[in-house]
Amino acid sequence: MKLKFVLNSKQQWELKQQTRNWLELPYDVMANILYRVGVHDILLNAQKVCTTWRNICKDTAMWRVINMYNVFNHKNGRPLMQKMCKHAVNRSQGQLVDITIDDFANPELLRYISDRSSQLRSLEFVYCYGEIYESWAGSLRKFPLLEELSIYLTDISTGVIVAAGRFCPMLTTLKINDEMVAPCGNVIAVAIGENLPKLKHLELIGSFMTNIGLQAILDGCCHLELLDLRQCVYIDPDEDLVKKCLEKIKCVKLPYDSLEGCRYVFVDEPIAGSAIV
């Protein structure tokens, strides 16, 4: 005999799902999740969800590393980004060790950070506008523990290099990729060789320096372990100097090596017949 089961139309079937109370997560786990949200969303959204989240977002440890870019992707959004950045720096309460600012920094913001961040180890500026190079010397003197300085698409002068050598004795990494200083490649290179003898990692992508500038770097920076010369098209790779460079330095990236992996690259075309100083 075959049995036939017929569902009662009034019978209710419930799907039981396991629920999770996010507030019961360990503090460090929740802090790690919120940190990954990003500074912009933390300040405008996450910290407003509940008291627990707000307390985590106000913890000084959350602001030891700050990475901010212009989320509005327009110059009109820069004032708001500057305001939020200042707020983030204030929350670090002097414990900031690493900061990256992309497309909204100006001289006033650089001074604001330097006045409140004496523990800074790493500073990265991308596409800063205005005559920010006038603020570098006064700001770098307040970063005695700085180990890494990265300047991309931002106008600088030799004064930046001189100030870094004078006021940042622990600086071992310098990265510069800037179409504004490219024509003065040898001037910057000589300044690096004369003022930054402790460098271990030097990146000069797109510099217009010649072998003269390279020689100055090799003479002055005797501790180099990595030298990035990609797109330095005025360096003559056939001269013995380049061979010496390859023998002396553990890792050397040559002018025509691939740019794969570079986050910020501006490569201008050399001007035929132009004088390189």
Side-chain angles (χ1 to χ4, degrees):
M1 181 178 66
K2 296 182 178 181
L3 297 177
K4 185 177 182 180
F5 295 93
V6 180
L7 294 178
N8 188 329
S9 60
K10 295 183 180 180
Q11 190 173 14
Q12 297 180 355
W13 297 83
E14 297 181 356
L15 178 61
K16 295 184 179 180
Q17 295 182 338
Q18 183 179 4
T19 59
R20 173 175 293 173
N21 185 351
W22 290 95
L23 297 180
E24 294 179 354
L25 285 175
Y27 183 95
D28 58 337
V29 174
M30 194 69 253
N32 186 278
I33 293 173
L34 288 175
Y35 176 79
R36 296 172 186 274
V37 168
V39 175
H40 177 265
D41 283 327
I42 287 177
L43 295 179
L44 294 185
N45 301 305
Q47 69 173 2
K48 301 177 183 179
V49 171
C50 63
T51 301
T52 299
W53 283 22
R54 180 169 180 79
N55 289 337
I56 293 175
C57 292
K58 291 174 67 176
D59 189 338
T60 301
M62 286 282 288
W63 306 97
R64 287 172 56 82
V65 177
I66 297 174
N67 190 332
M68 298 183 70
Y69 67 96
N70 187 354
V71 297
F72 303 103
N73 198 29
H74 193 278
K75 65 180 182 180
N76 292 337
R78 288 170 178 165
L80 178 56
M81 293 302 302
Q82 292 162 7
K83 183 178 180 180
M84 285 194 291
C85 185
K86 291 178 180 179
H87 190 59
V89 171
N90 289 342
R91 286 198 174 184
S92 74
Q93 297 182 26
Q95 300 304 307
L96 181 64
V97 296
D98 186 330
I99 187 167
T100 296
I101 299 177
D102 188 342
D103 191 25
F104 65 88
N106 63 2
E108 195 273 333
L109 181 59
L110 177 57
R111 289 190 292 268
Y112 191 91
I113 295 171
S114 65
D115 287 341
R116 295 161 177 79
S117 310
S118 61
Q119 302 298 310
L120 198 69
R121 264 74 167 179
S122 177
L123 174 63
E124 181 173 304
F125 272 21
V126 184
Y127 191 58
C128 300
Y129 62 97
E131 295 184 346
I132 195 167
Y133 57 85
E134 295 182 350
S135 304
W136 281 109
S139 297
L140 289 175
R141 71 168 61 239
K142 299 178 182 179
F143 298 139
L145 302 180
L146 193 68
E147 300 173 2
E148 180 172 338
L149 176 62
S150 303
I151 307 172
Y152 301 104
L153 307 174
T154 299
D155 193 12
I156 67 169
S157 67
T158 55
V160 177
I161 309 301
V162 173
R166 182 178 180 183
F167 303 119
C168 307
M170 300 182 68
L171 189 70
T172 57
T173 297
L174 177 65
K175 302 178 183 180
I176 299 176
N177 175 14
D178 178 19
E179 80 277 18
M180 298 298 291
V181 302
C184 299
N186 279 345
V187 176
I188 296 295
V190 170
I192 291 172
E194 292 179 347
N195 295 278
L196 299 173
K198 296 181 180 180
L199 283 183
K200 294 183 178 180
H201 182 152
L202 177 59
E203 179 181 299
L204 294 171
I205 296 177
S207 170
F208 278 22
M209 72 175 175
T210 66
N211 287 42
I212 295 175
L214 178 57
Q215 182 68 68
I217 290 173
L218 293 179
D219 290 342
C221 305
C222 300
H223 301 287
L224 279 179
E225 298 176 0
L226 186 150
L227 178 60
D228 194 335
L229 302 173
R230 284 177 291 180
Q231 292 299 315
C232 296
V233 296
Y234 284 103
I235 290 177
D236 184 353
D238 295 325
E239 289 192 10
D240 291 339
L241 179 62
V242 175
K243 297 177 182 178
K244 175 184 175 182
C245 185
L246 292 170
E247 294 173 355
K248 181 179 180 182
I249 301 173
K250 184 183 302 184
C251 178
V252 179
K253 298 181 181 180
L254 297 173
Y256 296 101
D257 285 351
S258 171
L259 288 171
E260 183 179 358
C262 295
R263 289 184 297 163
Y264 313 107
V265 177
F266 181 98
V267 179
D268 201 359
E269 290 296 328
I271 301 174
S274 60
I276 307 300
V277 296

